[in-house]
Amino acid sequence: RGQPALALEAAKFAYSKMPEDFQVLMVYALTKRDTNDADGARAILKIAGKVAHQDPARLVAVALRQLSLADIAGAQYSLEKAISSAPDYLAAQILMVEVDMRQGDRAKAERRARAIVSSNPSRSSGYSMLGDISLAQGQLGQAVEHYRKAHAVEPSRETF
């Protein structure tokens, strides 16, 4: 963190030696981001998404970085790829709700969140997302109900 230019040079060197290595690509993308090269980071993440193949965990990692760079379309593509290979992969489903919200499609986000609740009723994630959606719509009472339900099903998890 203290020397981003030096980190970038090291990552660039590693990339030149191992251009198909997923971890190298992720580090290279982060160093590009940290040196204010968002376009370069997006390009490297696109390559990382290809290298990830159909691995849902890796595709979610790529999507998280894409979201941090406001690359909503890239994140959506990575998540759709993850879900196509592992339809029940909860992390990808949760992030798709975030993508829908960032795209302003609250109805689609709500449908996805309700589907998560339906398929994972003992997990707080779907209820928390429904709370977030209700809050974004100004429905404070309904948001509180969803957050309470999230806490009730998983009291040990943070719901806010």
Side-chain angles (χ1 to χ4, degrees):
R1 277 208 181 284
Q3 298 180 3
L6 185 59
L8 177 62
E9 287 306 312
K12 186 186 291 186
F13 177 76
Y15 175 66
S16 73
K17 299 296 182 190
M18 299 176 282
E20 296 289 315
D21 185 281
F22 181 78
Q23 295 301 329
V24 167
L25 288 164
M26 295 299 283
V27 169
Y28 192 26
L30 290 174
T31 58
K32 283 192 166 286
R33 183 201 65 193
D34 290 346
T35 55
N36 299 316
D37 182 4
D39 290 338
R42 285 184 197 98
I44 296 299
L45 287 170
K46 189 172 184 178
I47 296 168
K50 291 177 184 173
V51 169
H53 303 291
Q54 298 296 320
D55 182 326
R58 286 184 169 192
L59 289 163
V60 165
V62 170
L64 280 168
R65 300 294 186 272
Q66 289 168 318
L67 285 172
S68 76
L69 292 163
D71 182 5
I72 308 304
Q76 181 178 6
Y77 178 78
S78 296
L79 293 169
E80 286 172 349
K81 195 172 165 184
I83 290 169
S84 74
S85 67
D88 295 330
Y89 195 65
L90 186 58
Q93 294 172 357
I94 290 168
L95 279 180
M96 279 301 289
V97 174
E98 174 70 20
V99 166
D100 293 338
M101 289 295 288
R102 288 195 187 190
Q103 290 175 329
D105 194 342
R106 291 185 184 144
K108 191 173 189 179
E110 185 175 351
R111 283 193 302 276
R112 285 188 201 273
R114 288 191 185 285
I116 290 170
V117 166
S118 177
S119 61
N120 300 276
S122 62
R123 300 291 307 266
S124 64
S125 306
Y127 299 107
S128 290
M129 289 182 303
L130 287 170
D132 293 346
I133 294 164
S134 295
L135 192 60
Q137 294 172 331
Q139 300 168 340
L140 302 181
Q142 193 171 26
V144 169
E145 286 180 39
H146 290 304
Y147 291 136
R148 283 186 178 148
K149 181 66 174 177
H151 182 70
V153 298
E154 275 189 291
S156 62
R157 292 192 50 106
E158 185 176 311
T159 54
F160 289 94

